[in-house]
Amino acid sequence: MKAIIGTVVVFGSLLGGYLPHGSIGILIQPLEVLIICGGALGAFIIANPGWVVKKSFSSAFGLVKSPGYDKDMYMEMIGLMFRLFNKARREGLMAIEQDVEEPENSELFNMFPKIAADHHIVDFICDYLRLMISGASNPYQLEDLMIAELDVHHHEAMAPSEAIGKVAEALPGFGIVAAVLGIIVTMSYLDAGPLEIAHHMSVALVGTFLGILVAYGVVGPISADLGNRAHAESAFYGAIKACLMANLNGYPPQVAMEFGRKSIPGKERPSFQEVDEYLQTQK
């Protein structure tokens, strides 16, 4: 919704300032759009692996939805981790083996639908709990492994943002290409009247205008928003890591949740009192 509102504001402001003195018809140039957007799309496909191209499009279309890493999702994560750690502390690590091996059938995981619906988060949690159950108890080695995995994950999550950002940088150049082609076309009309020449010059200039507009008004903001979502996702995994490491270092479940709470970005971070009251309902 935020992306839609922003796009409406961009185009509304632009047209609101232009239409009192100009014609909308001259801005509608399908061939200019074909040159600019087609050239940028082709360069984008050449420059990036197939999975980045596919993920870029799916992520861009997904901007109409909320990123999902809100306070409620963090609270669900805290609740799930608390229940898992509590069960392991009371009954031993082997007590959560079935939950870890078949999370889709686990009563604990299914109590938290937002977490259970994201298989990447579930896999991350289960992989490290599985290692702990298997006897990997050295906190330094596990932390190094988590850092390495999260670095790779963040790099992959940022790939669509970076790829689309390069398209935004290239679009003004393709706008100039369209304008130059328009000037070439105009040269063949030099024996025509002034109005005919002015019309073709206007069409050529529309190419530059469209390249800059699409770069800074559409594609650039999409790249930035995808980057923000990748950072939000990384922050969520960082909070899970903090909980797991605190538990591995021997802290009681409730204290481990405080380590996780402190790792949550300020905007979504619940207060100590909120978490404490929430955990009272999870015992």
Side-chain angles (χ1 to χ4, degrees), residues 100 125-137 142 145:
V100 169
I125 294 171
C126 291
D127 283 349
Y128 286 98
L129 289 176
R130 192 179 290 115
L131 282 172
M132 294 178 192
I133 292 170
S134 300
S137 58
L142 274 182
L145 182 59

Side-chain angles (χ1 to χ4, degrees), residues 12 56 72 93 122 139 181 232 259 274:
S56 295
D72 289 340
L93 271 175
V122 171
L181 292 175
F259 275 75
E274 286 177 305

